[in-house]
Amino acid sequence: MNPGFRTYRCSSGQIEISVETPEQWHALAVCLGRPELAYEGGWDVVKESPAAGRTADVVQEMFYEDTAPSWGEKLGAHSVPFKVHA
């Protein structure tokens, strides 16, 4: 598990993301409104990071701003692999 492959709490429900490539990580960062997370080589760092570290804290903060179904629509539009948990 890493920040790109875990479940996050939303304001309502949870979203599970399954990012496996630099392109997916970039798409997630853009979707979250945090494109700076997708710096060159960023995915290599993230995939080795702990699932509950600083990067995950930033991602958690963003996901908590909206509901899981709403994030599901946004992630789907950006081709980020996910599952919604009510």
Side-chain angles (χ1 to χ4, degrees), residues 63-81:
F63 274 123
Y64 201 75
E65 291 182 0
D66 211 342
T67 67
S70 180
W71 279 115
E73 289 179 25
K74 295 173 192 175
L75 293 169
H78 285 86
S79 300
V80 176

Side-chain angles (χ1 to χ4, degrees), residues 19 21-31 34-35 38-39 43 80:
V19 173
T21 68
E23 295 79 19
Q24 290 172 343
W25 179 251
H26 181 265
L28 174 64
V30 170
C31 182
R34 298 294 301 265
Y39 58 89
W43 173 242
V80 176

Side-chain angles (χ1 to χ4, degrees), residues 7-67:
T7 300
Y8 291 94
R9 291 181 322 276
C10 300
S11 63
S12 174
Q14 297 180 327
I15 198 94
E16 178 183 343
I17 58 172
S18 304
V19 173
E20 298 179 340
T21 68
E23 295 79 19
Q24 290 172 343
W25 179 251
H26 181 265
L28 174 64
V30 170
C31 182
L32 292 173
R34 298 294 301 265
E36 70 275 10
L37 294 175
Y39 58 89
E40 188 168 336
W43 173 242
D44 292 328
V45 173
V46 170
K47 70 181 179 182
E48 300 299 325
S49 296
R54 289 182 182 197
T55 301
D57 290 346
V58 170
V59 174
Q60 174 58 75
E61 184 178 309
M62 301 307 297
F63 274 123
Y64 201 75
E65 291 182 0
D66 211 342
T67 67

